[in-house]
Amino acid sequence: KAGVTQTPRYLIKTRGQQVTLSCSPISGHRSVSWYQQTPGQGLQFLFEYFSETQRNKGNFPGRFSGRQFSNSRSEMNVSTLELGDSALYLCASTPAAGVNTEAFFGQGTRLTVV
Amino acid sequence: AQTVTQSQPEMSVQEAETVTLSCTYDTSESDYYLFWYKQPPSRQMILVIRQEAYKQQNATENRFSVNFQKAAKSFSLKISDSQLGDAAMYFCAYRRGNNDMRFGAGTRLTVKP
């Protein structure tokens, strides 16, 4: 089985631009979560999607948004980029809702805002 | 709110020796899962071991084992016969039901040859 795939792996954007990151979960997994990882704040939860619906949301401004498609692939979008948005963005998938299972992570997208 | 605390920002171990990484968490729930993830320089988070809170028996996976103390809300990871490939950031995580997974700040493990 292929793992969680995130594209692109690296991205450089200018302050004020917007960016879209993509995540393809493991086949059969219906839940996708997004995390932001920075040296100062560690791993912070952004949001989770299950069956195309946002189920949980972390404490991030509205500039951060996401969606999930019928094939479970997910995208997250950050509008009006700020320097502080530079981070590693990790996507994780889990098989189903309501189950205390582990999350399977992708290799992340390293976003640099200049 | 559930919080996860890793009090050791960095740890070091000699190759072939044993090291224990600490983790404590705060929750009022009785049914939850705990995890240890490893993040090598490649950045991909890899599951090392997981523990169901309702199971009293400590989980083990080859050279990795946990010491789960539910009453003390403690969940430490023991790595036996440490190998150079064990060098990485280790994250302790908590999850309950549909809620998001909460991570500790991480412990950077160095393995000395």
Side-chain angles (χ1 to χ4, degrees):
Chain A
K1 248 185 187 179
V4 178
T5 304
Q6 290 188 246
T7 56
R9 292 287 306 279
Y10 300 91
L11 209 47
I12 300 175
K13 288 288 189 178
T14 303
R15 193 170 45 181
Q17 288 186 312
Q18 75 164 11
V19 66
T20 299
L21 312 182
S22 179
C23 172
S24 293
I26 292 172
S27 178
H29 286 196
R30 297 168 62 193
S31 170
V32 174
S33 298
W34 289 89
Y35 294 84
Q36 181 195 66
Q37 186 178 19
T38 59
Q41 299 297 318
L43 279 150
Q44 291 188 286
F45 172 73
L46 281 155
F47 29 65
E48 179 192 8
Y49 285 86
F50 177 77
S51 292
E52 303 178 64
T53 301
Q54 187 179 86
R55 186 168 62 182
N56 290 307
K57 189 178 190 303
N59 293 324
F60 278 81
R63 299 185 298 107
F64 292 81
S65 63
R67 60 177 176 170
Q68 186 180 33
F69 302 94
S70 58
N71 62 357
S72 294
R73 189 178 72 86
S74 177
E75 290 181 346
M76 69 161 280
N77 183 275
V78 188
S79 62
T80 320
L81 283 165
E82 300 177 0
L83 296 179
D85 297 333
S86 294
L88 178 66
Y89 290 88
L90 293 168
C91 165
S93 73
T94 53
V99 180
N100 287 318
T101 63
E102 65 268 30
F104 296 83
F105 285 83
Q107 287 191 285
T109 294
R110 171 77 65 188
L111 172 65
T112 303
V113 182
V114 297
Chain B
Q2 295 83 12
T3 58
V4 180
T5 302
Q6 293 179 251
S7 59
Q8 307 153 316
E10 296 184 357
M11 290 284 284
S12 170
V13 63
Q14 205 72 32
E15 194 176 6
E17 297 294 310
T18 296
V19 64
T20 298
L21 308 184
S22 301
C23 172
T24 58
Y25 57 95
D26 181 28
T27 184
S28 58
E29 306 295 340
S30 59
D31 182 23
Y32 49 88
Y33 272 45
L34 296 165
F35 309 91
W36 278 99
Y37 279 90
K38 168 186 176 181
Q39 187 179 40
S42 68
R43 305 176 336 201
Q44 183 157 19
M45 300 275 280
I46 302 165
L47 178 69
V48 175
I49 198 166
R50 75 176 197 178
Q51 174 79 45
E52 295 94 329
Y54 64 85
K55 288 187 177 179
Q56 290 188 325
Q57 187 174 5
N58 290 325
T60 62
E61 287 287 342
N62 301 313
R63 298 182 294 107
F64 299 87
S65 62
V66 298
N67 183 5
F68 173 48
Q69 301 290 327
K70 191 172 184 178
K73 297 179 185 176
S74 170
F75 183 59
S76 61
L77 174 70
K78 185 171 82 171
I79 306 174
S80 304
D81 185 25
S82 295
Q83 300 175 359
L84 295 178
D86 295 333
M89 282 289 290
Y90 285 81
F91 293 92
C92 177
Y94 165 104
R95 183 172 193 174
R96 181 182 178 275
N98 290 337
N99 296 318
D100 60 282
M101 190 172 285
R102 301 293 175 97
F103 289 87
T107 297
R108 182 174 302 281
L109 178 66
T110 302
V111 182
K112 298 178 179 178

